[in-house]
Amino acid sequence: VDPQTWLADVLAKLPATTPSRLPDLLPWNWKTK
């Protein structure tokens, strides 16, 4: 996982992410969509 790409995507998705979906944003679970 490219750290810069991952962080930019996570920061963009974070406001709309529910607490139950937070594990999907961890680096080992993250997928570009």
Side-chain angles (χ1 to χ4, degrees):
V1 172
D2 175 41
Q4 187 171 3
T5 303
W6 170 77
L7 186 57
D9 188 57
V10 167
L11 290 176
K13 290 179 179 175
L14 201 54
T17 302
T18 60
S20 64
R21 302 293 299 180
L22 286 177
D24 294 342
L25 300 179
L26 295 173
W28 46 88
N29 295 334
W30 177 77
K31 300 204 177 12
T32 56
K33 294 179 182 168

